[in-house]
Amino acid sequence: MNLKELYQISKTELSGLSSLDNSDFRLEQAEYKKEEKIWEIVVSYLVENTNKPNSPLGALTSGFTYHRIYKKVKIDNEKNVIGFYIYDK
């Protein structure tokens, strides 16, 4: 598989996770695990920021409308998504 295929597989599988029309989906990282025969990739996309500040001071620091979510996805050699995980940098 090449990077374009990995991108398309993960985008198709995860497309419903963001309610935005343009979630700015990105392939961030890709690594082939020879022993497991899987691709381990990291993707990111935008979601609406639902953590709105309650105080006027909080509005100065976290008033962004959107924020980027990072996820780790495992894809096997048959192009099936076999795992979806929280990505912790």
Side-chain angles (χ1 to χ4, degrees), residues 2-86:
N2 62 39
L3 294 177
K4 286 182 182 181
E5 288 176 302
L6 293 169
Y7 172 83
Q8 194 57 49
I9 291 166
S10 55
K11 184 176 181 181
T12 300
E13 190 72 24
L14 306 178
S15 64
L17 296 180
S18 177
S19 61
L20 302 175
D21 290 334
N22 180 11
S23 61
D24 191 27
F25 192 87
R26 298 178 185 177
L27 177 63
E28 302 285 352
Q29 178 177 312
E31 180 181 6
Y32 186 69
K33 303 284 188 170
K34 290 180 185 179
E35 302 82 32
E36 301 172 63
K37 298 182 181 174
I38 62 166
W39 281 93
E40 193 172 274
I41 64 170
V42 176
V43 296
S44 71
Y45 53 92
L46 293 175
V47 295
E48 187 174 355
N49 186 1
T50 57
N51 297 319
K52 304 292 183 191
N54 291 332
S55 74
L57 293 176
L60 297 173
T61 59
S62 61
F64 297 109
T65 306
Y66 308 106
H67 67 113
R68 187 162 290 280
I69 300 290
Y70 293 83
K71 298 293 183 180
K72 180 170 65 170
V73 179
K74 292 184 180 181
I75 301 173
D76 66 14
N77 286 337
E78 286 77 41
K79 302 181 181 181
N80 299 310
V81 173
I82 58 170
F84 175 71
Y85 309 90
I86 295 171

